[in-house]
Amino acid sequence: MKDTFKHKGLRQQLVNIIKTKGIQDENVLKAIGNVPRHLFMDSGFLDHAYQDKAFPIAADQTISQPYTVAFQTELLNVKKGDKILEIGTGSGYQTAVLCELGAKVFSIERQLELFKKTINFLPKLGYRAKKLVFGDGYKGLPEEAPFDGIIVTAGAPFVPKPLLNQLKIGGRLVIPVGNDVQVMTLFIRKDEKEFEQHEFGEFRFVPLLEDKN
Ligand code: SAH
């Protein structure tokens, strides 16, 4: 578990790449520059950790592309102390980025293997999420709601109602919506019943699976 000078250099190059691709939020860029992504990946992919690409992790899942992580995080507009719910903990990389931003992070994963691995791993790097949950992200986390922000890191065939309901007024839901291809969608809660909706182009994620799968 080493983070060397070389890794830091590669990470700075990665930050520059995602900056050229359009990420502007300095706090997000700093967070990407701080999280040792190579440690979140299986050993076979270590050499690729600082390419701007998604890679396989355990249980047929992927660690998202750094640009995508940065893009979603920028849309979430995280402020220090914000209560954030993540759906799809996976490797914990996005969780770590949110911790770097000073968020109180709650995260749900439905693959037991990944959940166990990540709940052990994150504290070793000093990342302390408020709560990592083994469960179904479609339901959100009603016992901890409302949230300042909710980020879904798998492709959702539809927008789960519980996630909208668990936002504070002014809160933001960032969710890739679609089956084969997803449209990055931002919902901002205006009041009890009203949500503003914005769309931000196409991305590809592994699917957000329902219970029956
Ligand atoms: N945020 C992760 C991305 C992992 S890919 C990272 O930074 O590495 C998406 C993750 O969503 C996978 O780990 C997958 O198992 C999980 N997932 C899929 N359907 C889910 C559901 N219904 N509830 C919670 N997690 C789910």
Side-chain angles (χ1 to χ4, degrees), residues 57 61-64 86-94 108-111 114 135-138 153-154 206-209:
I57 50 173
Q61 301 303 321
T62 57
I63 178 169
S64 301
E86 175 191 21
I87 311 298
T89 317
S91 69
Y93 178 70
Q94 172 76 68
I108 309 177
E109 172 58 53
R110 78 184 283 284
Q111 297 272 5
L114 280 171
D136 179 14
Y138 276 92
T153 69
V206 294
L208 185 69
L209 296 174

Side-chain angles (χ1 to χ4, degrees), residues 56-169:
I57 50 173
D60 281 336
Q61 301 303 321
T62 57
I63 178 169
S64 301
Q65 184 181 342
Y67 170 73
T68 305
V69 171
F71 191 88
Q72 286 195 278
T73 310
E74 192 168 63
L75 286 181
L76 204 56
N77 198 18
V78 181
K79 289 174 292 311
K80 217 174 169 157
D82 274 0
K83 215 170 150 182
I84 303 292
L85 174 64
E86 175 191 21
I87 311 298
T89 317
S91 69
Y93 178 70
Q94 172 76 68
T95 319
V97 168
L98 294 168
C99 288
E100 285 279 348
L101 290 168
K104 297 191 185 92
V105 189
F106 299 78
S107 186
I108 309 177
E109 172 58 53
R110 78 184 283 284
Q111 297 272 5
L112 189 58
E113 182 189 353
L114 280 171
F115 167 74
K116 283 186 179 163
K117 194 171 168 191
T118 303
I119 203 169
N120 274 313
F121 172 68
L122 280 175
K124 288 187 185 149
L125 294 187
Y127 293 117
R128 309 209 174 268
K130 277 274 163 199
K131 211 181 206 181
L132 297 178
V133 180
F134 171 57
D136 179 14
Y138 276 92
K139 301 188 175 77
L141 206 57
E143 65 272 29
E144 299 289 351
F147 297 96
D148 296 288
I150 301 179
I151 175 171
V152 180
T153 69
F158 60 89
V159 182
K161 280 269 155 55
L163 300 186
L164 289 170
N165 288 334
Q166 290 172 29
L167 285 177
K168 288 183 188 171
I169 307 296

Side-chain angles (χ1 to χ4, degrees), residues 22-36:
I23 304 300
Q24 293 180 344
D25 187 321
E26 286 299 332
N27 292 328
V28 173
L29 292 168
K30 211 163 124 192
I32 299 283
N34 282 343
V35 180

Side-chain angles (χ1 to χ4, degrees), residues 75 159 173-177 183-187 197-200:
L75 286 181
V159 182
L173 168 64
V174 178
I175 180 169
V177 187
V183 175
M184 191 62 74
T185 311
L186 166 68
F187 291 90
Q197 182 177 344
H198 306 266
E199 294 182 351
F200 295 89

